[in-house]
Amino acid sequence: MAISKKYIHDHLVLLLVSINLFLALGGSIFILLRLGSGHGATYIVQCRDCSNPAALNKFTTGNVIDVLSFVVFAALVMVSNTILSMRAYHIHRQLAISVLGLGTLLLAMTIIVSNALLALR
């Protein structure tokens, strides 16, 4: 698949791709630095039914592999949104921008959720 010159020269598309790249790399580095702090081998990886205070076993523990899945998810979101945006740009410019904007939101939510789970340990 050849990348069109219009896609490469579109300033808003390049801004959103740059923001997505910054969020994916920054979030991955942030998670890896929080893992390297040496607090222990178990991490909280899920919070189920946090709205109900009477719920038992609200937090599910896991190991490092479960937390590293956030890094893999960030990379997967970055790559898939960029590819989808390139393919959608031929259809309509606003569709490609919407795909990149939703990727930005998804990467920001990944950073927020991983920070919340890593702060609980």
Side-chain angles (χ1 to χ4, degrees), residues 32 37 117:
L32 293 174
S37 61
L117 288 175

Side-chain angles (χ1 to χ4, degrees), residues 4 24-25 27 37 39 53 65 71 75 82 89 98 103 106 108 117:
S4 71
L25 289 176
S37 61
H39 288 293
I65 302 292
V71 175
T82 305
Y89 194 82
S98 298
L106 192 56
L117 288 175

Side-chain angles (χ1 to χ4, degrees), residues 30-46:
F30 175 74
I31 292 168
L32 293 174
L33 287 177
R34 293 284 300 254
L35 286 178
S37 61
H39 288 293
T42 59
Y43 299 94
I44 295 174
V45 294
Q46 291 180 6

Side-chain angles (χ1 to χ4, degrees), residues 14-34:
L14 289 179
L15 176 68
L16 287 171
V17 169
S18 300
I19 290 171
N20 284 348
L21 183 63
F22 174 75
L23 286 175
L25 289 176
S28 299
I29 290 170
F30 175 74
I31 292 168
L32 293 174
L33 287 177
R34 293 284 300 254

Side-chain angles (χ1 to χ4, degrees), residues 35-88:
L35 286 178
S37 61
H39 288 293
T42 59
Y43 299 94
I44 295 174
V45 294
Q46 291 180 6
C47 180
R48 296 185 179 200
D49 197 18
C50 292
S51 62
N52 185 5
L56 296 174
N57 297 329
K58 293 193 310 187
F59 300 115
T60 305
T61 59
N63 55 12
V64 176
I65 302 292
D66 296 328
V67 179
L68 286 178
S69 65
F70 282 108
V71 175
V72 173
F73 179 73
L76 187 66
V77 166
M78 172 61 199
V79 169
S80 63
N81 279 333
T82 305
I83 291 173
L84 283 173
S85 172
M86 281 189 277
R87 290 185 179 187

